[in-house]
Amino acid sequence: EALLNTLSEKQAVFNEKEIAKIINKYTESAEDFQHAMARVLAHEDCVSLGIGADGRETYTSRQNYLREATMADQASGLFARDNHDVSNRHVSKAIRSRSLSSEQESALHHLAKTGDVAALVGRAGTGKSYLMGAAREMWEAQGYRVSGVAVSGIAAKSLADETGMPTLTIHG
């Protein structure tokens, strides 16, 4: 449990390699390592998320999983409110300012037309933060104040660094 807490404080999602790095520091034999690895992966607070973009099985802690689910539930009411449209001019300018894939362009158009809160979901390494930099540009050009929210401190720092938007963890 302590290992899962340590990992989930630093990052929202992790893989077996990252778990192994920590376990390796505290075990002396291959047998101890395998036993510890099996215990962590079988722990009730270790939630499998499936195969990540890197081809490895990815995990999160039950605590992070539940935080994200709660955040999504609370945001659902805001999705229904539609007070923050963005003009096509600002969307086009944000697209021209970056090299976005067609999927990212489509996501940016979606973000421009959503309600009072927008969410972007995707696996690690798929270009979400890069896209959110373009989204920040379009929303700020429209005159909106933009903030990011992330589950972990490392994710919040990464989002802030990559997008230029002030970002907090869901804990504040």
Side-chain angles (χ1 to χ4, degrees):
E1 188 175 335
L3 182 135
L4 290 172
N5 288 337
T6 299
L7 277 169
S8 65
E9 285 174 10
K10 294 182 180 180
Q11 54 202 65
V13 177
F14 41 88
N15 61 37
E16 287 184 16
K17 183 178 178 182
E18 293 158 328
I19 296 169
K21 277 186 199 177
I22 295 174
I23 291 175
N24 197 41
K25 291 179 186 178
Y26 300 101
T27 55
E28 294 182 16
S29 71
E31 184 180 325
D32 290 344
F33 174 86
Q34 291 298 330
H35 179 70
M37 189 73 157
R39 284 187 60 206
V40 169
L41 296 177
H43 195 280
E44 66 180 1
D45 290 334
C46 185
V47 178
S48 172
L49 299 174
I51 303 299
D54 62 0
R56 292 189 168 117
E57 183 81 18
T58 57
Y59 302 89
T60 191
S61 68
R62 180 160 314 283
Q63 184 179 18
N64 277 348
Y65 184 83
L66 292 173
R67 275 188 207 134
E68 286 189 18
T70 299
M71 192 166 69
D73 288 345
Q74 292 172 344
S76 65
L78 295 173
F79 283 120
R81 295 181 6 194
D82 193 14
N83 300 319
H84 291 93
D85 275 351
V86 178
S87 75
N88 286 331
R89 176 173 54 101
H90 296 311
V91 176
S92 296
K93 184 177 178 186
I95 289 171
R96 285 192 311 272
S97 76
R98 296 173 181 257
S99 297
L100 300 179
S101 70
S102 60
E103 189 176 52
Q104 287 172 319
E105 284 187 27
S106 177
L108 189 65
H109 281 284
H110 171 73
L111 292 173
K113 300 301 177 196
T114 56
D116 286 0
V117 67
L120 182 65
V121 179
R123 294 192 183 275
T126 58
K128 295 179 304 296
S129 294
Y130 184 73
L131 171 61
M132 289 308 294
R136 178 194 54 80
E137 291 173 14
M138 87 175 168
W139 285 320
E140 287 179 348
Q142 189 71 38
Y144 300 129
R145 183 172 50 97
V146 181
S147 299
V149 178
V151 173
S152 69
I154 256 185
K157 182 175 181 346
S158 177
L159 184 61
D161 291 347
E162 293 180 38
T163 64
M165 73 174 73
T167 305
L168 300 171
T169 65
I170 59 174
H171 303 291

